[in-house]
């Protein structure tokens, strides 16, 4: 293995932990350092490494509100929660720290406001149209209004009921931007005789990761997306990059090692590394160091 060109493995210059995810992770760690009995309400990030870091600090995860007691200091994660969660915690005198991403908080407030103004809310996002699994952010937002209309695929636009006078649409922050724009156009057309307002609330952090990763994908032979198997935005990134170049999805270093063992990554490959909004940059650096050592030294 003579080729030692370090540029053979490149990390995308805009990727990994977004502002909201970073804020949630650091907020939970700081609360623990202050001596609070920190308990997470559900996994804080779709990232194995982050969850392990928190567990090693003695931070527990509980999935049901009924499991909390007044001695817990509950952390609400970046994805956001429904109105019912806040009500439950307040009514039961359970203290909490709301680390919902400010972008998501704004969407939830807007949805509540427009619902109160009599608009029928259309929620574009992964509500489980085909998978039956609703994204936690969509679930949270849906609880700030009355019976929203969920749309995940363009084909569903034609079944939007026309019984309301005015409609307001928002989009899950990590939803595919191209798909969101097509759906918005479709809804405009469907509701051309109605009052229709919308806000494309896809997150710019997510968009930027996608755009920069796509640029890198055009310059390399193979891409690796590092992310949690249940991270919606990492999977989305993987799906997009696959259309440009051979792309592999890896949850951690051990899965990258397996790709090398299976000869899917070989010496001479120009490899690009990227990760979704819940991936830690340290993980990519570790993988880069490993690949340089395994393939090029
Ligand atoms: S992807 Fe955007 S909206 Fe979602 S947590 Fe990150 S910064 Fe917030």
């Amino acid at each position: 293995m003579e080729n030692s060109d370090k540029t053979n493995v490149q990390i995308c210059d805009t990727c990994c932990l977004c502002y909201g995810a970073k804020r949630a992770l650091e907020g939970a760690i700081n609360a623990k350092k202050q001596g609070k009995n920190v308990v997470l309400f559900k996994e804080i990030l779709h990232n194995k490494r982050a969850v392990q870091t928190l567990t090693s600090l003695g931070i527990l995860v509980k999935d049901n509100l009924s499991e909390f007691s007044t001695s817990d200091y509950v952390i609400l994660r970046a994805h956001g929660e429904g109105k019912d969660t806040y009500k439950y915690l307040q009514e039961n005198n359970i203290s909490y720290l709301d680390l919902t991403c400010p972008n998501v908080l704004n969407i939830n407030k807007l949805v509540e406001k427009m619902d109160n103004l009599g608009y029928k809310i259309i929620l574009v996002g992964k509500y489980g149209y085909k998978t039956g699994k609703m994204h936690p952010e969509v679930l949270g937002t849906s609880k700030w209004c009355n019976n929203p209309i969920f749309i995940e695929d363009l084909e569903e636009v034609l079944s939007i009921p026309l019984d309301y006078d005015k409609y307001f649409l928002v989009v899950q922050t990590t939803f595919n931007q191209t798909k969101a724009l097509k759906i918005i156009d479709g809804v405009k057309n469907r509701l051309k005789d109605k009052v229709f307002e919308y806000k494309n609330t896809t997150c710019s952090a997510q968009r930027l990761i996608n755009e920069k990763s796509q640029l890198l994908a055009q310059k390399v032979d193979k891409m690796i997306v590092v992310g949690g198997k249940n991270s919606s935005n990492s999977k989305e990134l993987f799906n997009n990059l696959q259309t440009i170049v051979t792309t592999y999805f890896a949850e951690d270093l051990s899965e990258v090692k397996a790709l090398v063992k299976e000869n899917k990554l070989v010496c001479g490959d120009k490899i690009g590394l990227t990760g979704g909004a819940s991936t830690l940059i340290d993980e990519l650096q570790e993988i880069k160091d490993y690949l340089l050592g395994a393939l090029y030294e």
Side-chain angles (χ1 to χ4, degrees), residues 58-94:
I59 296 176
L60 301 174
V61 182
K62 291 182 182 173
D63 288 324
N64 298 302
L65 282 172
S66 58
E67 295 172 59
F68 291 113
S69 72
T70 47
S71 62
D72 291 332
Y73 187 65
V74 180
I75 300 287
L76 303 181
R77 60 186 181 169
H79 295 93
E81 282 299 323
K83 220 174 173 176
D84 52 335
T85 299
Y86 295 92
K87 192 168 177 266
Y88 180 90
L89 293 170
Q90 284 156 11
E91 283 178 357
N92 289 280
N93 293 319
I94 300 168

Side-chain angles (χ1 to χ4, degrees), residues 175-235:
F175 197 70
N176 180 289
Q177 169 75 346
T178 314
K179 215 170 151 184
L181 292 174
K182 281 187 187 150
I183 290 176
I184 291 170
D185 272 352
V187 177
K188 269 185 199 162
N189 202 32
R190 168 85 177 156
L191 301 177
K192 56 179 181 296
D193 299 326
K194 305 277 180 180
V195 174
F196 172 58
E197 291 179 40
Y198 70 94
K199 189 159 186 197
N200 181 356
T201 44
T202 50
C203 175
S204 59
Q206 192 54 37
R207 276 207 296 271
L208 223 74
I209 293 177
N210 263 298
E211 282 167 20
K212 295 284 184 173
S213 300
Q214 284 174 18
L215 286 178
L216 178 59
Q218 286 160 16
K219 295 185 206 146
V220 296
D221 305 314
K222 289 166 189 174
M223 284 294 291
I224 307 173
V225 175
V226 181
K229 292 266 189 292
N230 47 0
S231 160
S232 158
N233 65 78
S234 298
K235 267 194 242 153

Side-chain angles (χ1 to χ4, degrees), residues 4 44 54 70 73 80 88 97 105 115 137 170 178 240 295:
S4 61
I44 199 160
L54 296 171
T70 47
Y73 187 65
Y88 180 90
L97 178 61
L105 275 183
D115 185 59
E137 181 190 313
V170 288
T178 314
N240 292 344
L295 301 177

Side-chain angles (χ1 to χ4, degrees), residues 74-267:
V74 180
I75 300 287
L76 303 181
R77 60 186 181 169
H79 295 93
E81 282 299 323
K83 220 174 173 176
D84 52 335
T85 299
Y86 295 92
K87 192 168 177 266
Y88 180 90
L89 293 170
Q90 284 156 11
E91 283 178 357
N92 289 280
N93 293 319
I94 300 168
S95 46
Y96 64 90
L97 178 61
D98 186 4
L99 293 176
T100 301
C101 175
N103 295 344
V104 179
L105 275 183
N106 287 339
I107 296 169
N108 293 347
K109 271 189 222 150
L110 185 60
V111 161
E112 184 183 33
K113 181 180 143 197
M114 298 308 268
D115 185 59
N116 287 336
L117 289 173
Y119 285 80
K120 186 69 184 167
I121 304 296
I122 301 176
L123 197 40
V124 177
K126 294 190 175 170
Y127 76 95
Y129 174 51
K130 287 188 177 141
T131 61
K133 216 174 143 202
M134 192 178 282
H135 189 277
E137 181 190 313
V138 177
L139 178 65
T141 303
S142 72
K143 292 182 177 175
W144 290 89
C145 58
N146 288 303
N147 302 319
I149 298 167
F150 294 102
I151 302 282
E152 185 167 339
D153 270 354
L154 190 57
E155 65 189 37
E156 294 176 275
V157 167
L158 287 177
S159 53
I160 293 178
L162 300 173
D163 332 358
Y164 307 92
D165 296 330
K166 41 188 196 176
Y167 297 77
F168 181 70
L169 176 153
V170 288
V171 189
Q172 176 193 333
T173 58
T174 49
F175 197 70
N176 180 289
Q177 169 75 346
T178 314
K179 215 170 151 184
L181 292 174
K182 281 187 187 150
I183 290 176
I184 291 170
D185 272 352
V187 177
K188 269 185 199 162
N189 202 32
R190 168 85 177 156
L191 301 177
K192 56 179 181 296
D193 299 326
K194 305 277 180 180
V195 174
F196 172 58
E197 291 179 40
Y198 70 94
K199 189 159 186 197
N200 181 356
T201 44
T202 50
C203 175
S204 59
Q206 192 54 37
R207 276 207 296 271
L208 223 74
I209 293 177
N210 263 298
E211 282 167 20
K212 295 284 184 173
S213 300
Q214 284 174 18
L215 286 178
L216 178 59
Q218 286 160 16
K219 295 185 206 146
V220 296
D221 305 314
K222 289 166 189 174
M223 284 294 291
I224 307 173
V225 175
V226 181
K229 292 266 189 292
N230 47 0
S231 160
S232 158
N233 65 78
S234 298
K235 267 194 242 153
E236 195 70 59
L237 189 57
F238 171 70
N239 291 338
N240 292 344
L241 297 179
Q242 253 188 335
T243 63
I244 300 172
V245 75
T246 303
T247 304
Y248 299 106
F249 192 97
E251 190 157 36
D252 53 24
L253 178 61
S254 70
E255 293 193 2
V256 175
K257 285 184 178 173
L259 291 172
V260 172
K261 213 169 162 195
E262 291 159 20
N263 287 326
K264 287 183 175 154
L265 302 170
V266 294
C267 181

